Amino acid sequence: MCKKKFSISKIQRDFEIIECFCKNLTGNQTKDKLHINHLTVKVRFEFFRKVIANFLEEKYQGKDVLEYDEYIYLSKSKKKVKKNIFDAKNFLTFNYENKVYNLLMPDLNRYKDEFLDSGAEEAHFKEFSKFMMLNKISKTQKRENIITMFWNFFEDSILKYKGINHENFFYYLKEIEFKFNYTYEEQVHILKASLYKYF
């Protein structure tokens, strides 16, 4: 049997980073608060997001879905330019057991070059907008619901992140989903318990 060596001080440091992460402190704020280097915080935050994504996938399996709706997110700085619609992130939000689960849809960016090369941007944009409106995936009972509550929470939460890498958007979406579904105390407990698996 393989026996892993671990440091009590390292575990304590990781627990402190978890608490900062769950309090929504940025990497720089965490670094300054705990007096550790930025790379350490960055690596741990990225690891926590992957743990969260796996945890949420496991929790969602086999659940009965009550409602679902489709959301298109585009940062405010890009909304004024029509061609930026292809940089938007499209995801489905499901309501189950008074929690939400998000499924990231295929990337729209694959259509961008064709759109720009055609020379008919205005016509394509109108057709694309019509298509998105007519083909919206939705099943909700009320206009205001837990799904729209999550979308508002998401829009507020995503603002603190600057320049999210395209490939990493999924993990930030899952982090925000996790923080919407669980209280601070629950978040800390779940992450600390998950961390034990790796010791």
Side-chain angles (χ1 to χ4, degrees), residues 157-170:
S157 300
I158 202 75
L159 290 175
K160 79 169 187 173
Y161 303 113
K162 308 297 182 184
I164 294 176
N165 186 289
H166 168 74
E167 287 76 17
N168 292 332
F169 179 83
F170 169 78

Side-chain angles (χ1 to χ4, degrees), residues 171-188:
Y171 293 106
Y172 287 90
L173 174 62
K174 287 298 172 179
E175 176 189 343
I176 295 170
E177 176 185 320
F178 178 70
K179 290 178 176 178
F180 179 83
N181 283 341
Y182 298 97
T183 66
Y184 166 76
E185 290 77 12
E186 289 171 332
Q187 293 168 36
V188 170

Side-chain angles (χ1 to χ4, degrees), residues 4 8 11 19 27 29 37 44 54 57 75 80 86 95 104 108 112 117 132 134 139 141 144 148 162 171 179 198:
K4 292 184 179 180
I8 296 298
I11 295 173
E19 290 167 5
Q29 289 170 330
N37 70 68
R44 298 319 277 166
N54 290 332
E57 292 298 317
S75 62
K80 293 182 180 180
F86 295 100
N95 169 14
L104 190 60
L108 299 174
K112 190 173 185 177
D117 292 342
M132 294 302 292
L134 295 176
K139 180 190 173 184
Q141 298 172 4
E144 299 296 325
T148 56
K162 308 297 182 184
Y171 293 106
K179 290 178 176 178
Y198 299 91

Side-chain angles (χ1 to χ4, degrees), residues 2 4-16 18-19 44 47-48 51 187-199:
C2 176
K4 292 184 179 180
K5 293 183 179 180
F6 59 88
S7 160
I8 296 298
S9 61
K10 182 181 182 301
I11 295 173
Q12 182 59 41
R13 185 196 65 187
D14 281 341
F15 282 1
E16 290 173 344
I18 285 173
E19 290 167 5
R44 298 319 277 166
F47 173 71
F48 298 157
V51 168
Q187 293 168 36
V188 170
H189 174 76
I190 291 165
L191 281 176
K192 286 183 177 180
S194 297
L195 206 59
Y196 278 122
K197 296 179 183 178
Y198 299 91
F199 293 144

Side-chain angles (χ1 to χ4, degrees), residues 49-90:
R49 291 185 183 109
K50 290 177 181 177
V51 168
I52 285 169
N54 290 332
F55 172 82
L56 294 172
E57 292 298 317
E58 291 175 6
K59 280 293 179 183
Y60 178 70
Q61 295 304 313
K63 297 296 191 298
D64 292 328
V65 172
L66 303 176
E67 299 176 302
Y68 52 86
D69 208 345
E70 185 177 11
Y71 194 69
I72 297 176
Y73 165 72
L74 187 63
S75 62
K76 289 182 180 179
S77 63
K78 291 188 173 184
K79 285 182 178 178
K80 293 182 180 180
V81 181
K82 290 180 179 179
K83 67 181 181 182
N84 286 339
I85 188 65
F86 295 100
D87 294 327
K89 302 300 180 186
N90 187 21

Side-chain angles (χ1 to χ4, degrees), residues 66-71 92-96 98-102 136-154 180:
L66 303 176
E67 299 176 302
Y68 52 86
D69 208 345
E70 185 177 11
Y71 194 69
L92 285 175
T93 305
F94 299 88
N95 169 14
Y96 76 97
N98 207 35
K99 288 182 171 61
V100 298
Y101 171 84
N102 292 281
K136 182 175 171 63
I137 303 170
S138 177
K139 180 190 173 184
T140 55
Q141 298 172 4
K142 295 185 295 184
R143 192 167 183 175
E144 299 296 325
N145 52 58
I146 193 171
I147 293 174
T148 56
M149 287 171 59
F150 169 74
W151 290 345
N152 289 332
F153 181 80
F154 170 85
F180 179 83

